[in-house]
Amino acid sequence: FFFFFFFSSRFKNDFNSDASKMRLFVISALFFALILVSISSAQSGDFVNNKVKRRVEATSQVVKVVTTIDYQKKTEGKDSYQLFVANPQLLSSFSVTGKAGAQLEITPNGKSDQNGVEYGSYSVKLAHSESNGKLKVSLVYIHLLKAFPEKIAQSEKQFVVLNDNHYFYSPYLTEEQSTVVEVPSSFENHSEEKPTSVSGSKVTYGPYTQVKALSFSPLRVHFENNSPFITVKRFVRTIEISHWGNVAVEDSYDIVHGGALLKGQFSRAEYQRSPNGSPAHIPSMRQQLLPGTADVYYRDSIGNISTSNFNPNHKNGPYLEWLPRTPLFGGWKIKFEIGFNLPTSGYLFRDSYDSSRYVLNTTFISALEHAVYDEIEVRVILPEGSKNTEAVTPFSLDGERREKHSTYLDTTGREVIVLNKKNLSFDSSSKYFQVTYHFSRSSLLQEPFLLVATFFVIFLGIAASTRFNYRIGEPKPVVVHTPVVVAAPVAPSTKAGRR
């Protein structure tokens, strides 16, 4: 603005001409560009990345990226490290740890589109004021791999593409860095950015030296990946707590095969001849269950499905393995429910300092192997009369609300805590969440009292109903007819005549 008014006053006479306007616009644009460059240079000079190592693991449909950063602080007093993360909308988990492995605070600063890739900007609050430090950034992505080709025949293998950056995208200068990409099999092809070396199922890019801030070079890896691409489009877990010794759990699944779409018609005869001849399909599923699981059922909209196997005594814990009604190929969908009961002794605890406070501790999602979850809804149905409810989760939620649920012998209804989350992977199935609430023991007598009172009223009504006359009008007198007995005549004796 200073330049605008300065030049407008100096060239007041010629300001109305097109040449003067163009000259003023160019000078102002150069001035603002100089300011932006100065700000960027000041930010990039706060830290220097001495050494960066990236490891990208793409052995399943989930992509894990682990980056270790050895940094050096150039500006005294700076306790915030700026971090750029590609494709933040596909993140399942994101964590940053320091030297001692302690979790560091992460603050989002917004998103921007750079080189056709969406990046999220984050500030990491450093735990110490030393001039040198080390960070470990752990990222887990879902839906980052894209099937190529997008359609395959029933007997064809599945190939996918991973797109990334050869360089560590950072606002700071990086003195040395390298990237290792690991895939489940050999490479179909991969990009080159010398020096590049391949060893079996691993490709190493770098080391690169003196990489400037915000450097970008497209990385592309094309490889075979026939792992199960199980995508749970919507997952609903309903947990109902009963203080009579049981926690009932029901998991509802809406699943689609997220891999390459099936090209052409499905041949049942070909599949029966060679089930292993379709490497990219999903023939069966397996879910790890919680310790103490009992009364397991597996059903869909048609009814119970008997092609399942429940093993409660496995060394790694109980599990359920089942065959869907049809095998799943790319783009195919299936819906079903799995339910089971848990003992309250292992999952519902009472506060030792407050006898009316209870804590439910269980997993947020199911442990369906190889699965990723797009939308998750967890519904916790508390006992009637619960108060001061609160949910604590190991990650941020996308939504939380309260509802009412009424069932048998309820009067005011039971409070339901509804938790919503997006983008989780199978790795999150081991994370527990807690629900705390206050509940009076005297409330346990409500249902038995209602039951006894109901039967008492029914029996009292039956007893009273037998004492009422339900006829319409005056009752008619009852006439009792007494039968008349007529004696038979006695015949005269014949003995007297003979005399």
Side-chain angles (χ1 to χ4, degrees):
F1 288 106
F2 170 77
F3 268 76
F4 178 81
F5 287 111
F6 175 76
F7 281 101
S8 62
S9 61
R10 290 292 302 270
F11 302 100
K12 185 175 180 180
N13 297 330
D14 299 331
F15 185 69
N16 293 328
S17 64
D18 294 338
S20 298
K21 290 181 179 179
M22 181 60 66
R23 189 185 305 112
L24 179 61
F25 175 77
V26 171
I27 294 175
S28 300
L30 291 175
F31 175 72
F32 283 113
L34 180 62
I35 293 177
L36 293 176
V37 170
S38 300
I39 294 175
S40 177
S41 300
Q43 185 182 29
S44 62
D46 293 338
F47 293 88
V48 171
N49 299 322
N50 296 328
K51 191 173 185 178
V52 175
K53 289 184 177 181
R54 298 175 64 225
R55 183 177 183 88
V56 181
E57 182 181 335
T59 55
S60 64
Q61 69 164 326
V62 176
V63 178
K64 301 177 182 179
V65 182
V66 178
T67 306
T68 57
I69 306 170
D70 293 330
Y71 66 86
Q72 182 180 0
K73 190 183 299 184
K74 291 294 185 180
T75 304
E76 292 296 333
K78 293 293 291 186
D79 60 350
S80 180
Y81 183 94
Q82 300 300 316
L83 194 65
F84 287 130
V85 176
N87 302 302
Q89 74 279 6
L90 302 179
L91 276 177
S92 173
S93 66
F94 173 27
S95 64
V96 181
T97 57
K99 273 187 176 181
Q103 294 282 342
L104 300 181
E105 182 182 348
I106 305 172
T107 304
N109 299 325
K111 301 177 182 179
S112 62
D113 196 337
Q114 302 291 336
N115 304 300
V117 180
E118 184 176 5
Y119 282 91
S121 176
Y122 301 89
S123 297
V124 180
K125 188 175 181 180
L126 303 178
H128 55 83
S129 58
E130 298 178 1
S131 59
N132 296 328
K134 188 171 185 177
L135 298 177
K136 181 179 180 182
V137 183
S138 300
L139 308 172
V140 178
Y141 288 97
I142 66 173
H143 305 310
L144 190 62
L145 300 179
K146 303 300 180 183
F148 186 78
E150 297 180 354
K151 294 183 179 181
I152 58 174
Q154 180 175 332
S155 59
E156 289 182 334
K157 298 178 180 180
Q158 178 176 264
F159 291 86
V160 296
V161 170
L162 170 66
N163 293 306
D164 204 328
N165 187 0
H166 289 114
Y167 304 121
F168 174 58
Y169 197 76
S170 172
Y172 312 117
L173 172 69
T174 302
E175 294 180 344
E176 181 183 343
Q177 71 167 73
S178 61
T179 300
V180 177
V181 180
E182 181 179 1
V183 299
S185 60
S186 59
F187 296 94
E188 187 74 3
N189 58 67
H190 59 83
S191 59
E192 292 280 351
E193 184 74 11
K194 295 182 179 180
T196 302
S197 60
V198 178
S199 176
S201 60
K202 297 180 183 179
V203 57
T204 303
Y205 294 97
Y208 305 119
T209 58
Q210 300 302 316
V211 180
K212 296 181 180 180
L214 305 181
S215 295
F216 181 83
S217 173
L219 180 152
R220 187 178 186 273
V221 179
H222 189 204
F223 57 96
E224 179 184 343
N225 190 341
N226 293 312
S227 61
F229 275 53
I230 302 176
T231 301
V232 183
K233 303 297 291 184
R234 180 170 173 80
F235 172 78
V236 179
R237 165 163 282 191
T238 303
I239 304 173
E240 186 171 357
I241 302 174
S242 172
H243 279 252
W244 294 100
N246 185 67
V247 177
V249 182
E250 182 177 87
D251 296 335
S252 177
Y253 293 91
D254 184 359
I255 291 179
V256 62
H257 189 309
L261 302 178
L262 179 63
K263 181 173 61 177
Q265 296 293 326
F266 169 68
S267 173
R268 170 65 69 174
E270 180 183 348
Y271 182 77
Q272 290 296 111
R273 285 196 304 268
S274 178
N276 296 327
S278 304
H281 84 299
I282 302 173
S284 63
M285 299 182 187
R286 174 170 168 161
Q287 176 176 331
Q288 196 75 28
L289 300 175
L290 295 169
T293 297
D295 306 325
V296 181
Y297 62 86
Y298 165 47
R299 66 192 181 198
D300 58 9
S301 58
I302 299 177
N304 185 59
I305 303 175
S306 59
T307 55
S308 59
N309 177 33
F310 173 54
N311 187 347
N313 301 317
H314 194 266
K315 62 179 181 179
N316 295 328
Y319 71 87
L320 177 68
E321 190 172 14
W322 67 92
L323 301 176
R325 294 189 184 273
T326 60
L328 291 183
F329 288 85
W332 290 18
K333 301 178 181 180
I334 185 174
K335 294 182 179 181
F336 58 88
E337 293 86 31
I338 292 177
F340 51 90
N341 292 323
L342 298 172
T344 55
S345 58
Y347 300 93
L348 186 63
F349 306 94
R350 190 174 64 183
D351 195 334
S352 57
Y353 297 99
D354 186 356
S355 60
S356 65
R357 183 174 181 268
Y358 292 86
V359 180
L360 172 71
N361 184 45
T362 185
T363 54
F364 192 81
I365 60 174
S366 63
L368 180 60
E369 294 183 359
H370 309 293
V372 297
Y373 300 78
D374 288 351
E375 295 183 8
I376 304 100
E377 181 174 288
V378 177
R379 305 173 58 86
V380 182
I381 304 175
L382 302 174
E384 188 176 21
S386 300
K387 300 177 181 179
N388 303 326
T389 60
E390 182 183 4
V392 180
T393 58
F395 34 66
S396 61
L397 296 173
D398 295 314
E400 180 178 351
R401 66 182 187 275
R402 299 294 190 271
E403 294 181 355
K404 282 291 185 179
H405 173 78
S406 297
T407 181
Y408 53 88
L409 299 180
D410 285 344
T411 54
T412 60
R414 308 184 184 190
E415 183 172 343
V416 183
I417 301 177
V418 183
L419 309 176
N420 296 99
K421 178 67 177 174
K422 294 181 179 179
N423 294 354
L424 288 180
S425 65
F426 170 74
D427 297 335
S428 302
S429 62
S430 59
K431 295 183 179 180
Y432 282 65
F433 80 107
Q434 295 76 38
V435 173
T436 62
Y437 60 94
H438 286 79
F439 181 73
S440 176
R441 283 187 172 184
S442 60
S443 300
L444 288 173
L445 301 177
Q446 177 177 327
E447 292 185 359
F449 176 77
L450 288 175
L451 197 61
V452 172
T454 301
F455 279 105
F456 177 77
V457 171
I458 292 175
F459 292 149
L460 184 64
I462 294 175
S465 65
T466 59
R467 297 181 178 273
F468 288 96
N469 185 9
Y470 298 99
R471 295 181 179 180
I472 301 176
E474 293 293 330
K476 294 181 179 181
V478 180
V479 179
V480 180
H481 298 278
T482 304
V484 179
V485 180
V486 180
V490 180
S493 177
T494 56
K495 290 184 180 182
R498 289 192 190 102
R499 290 178 180 175

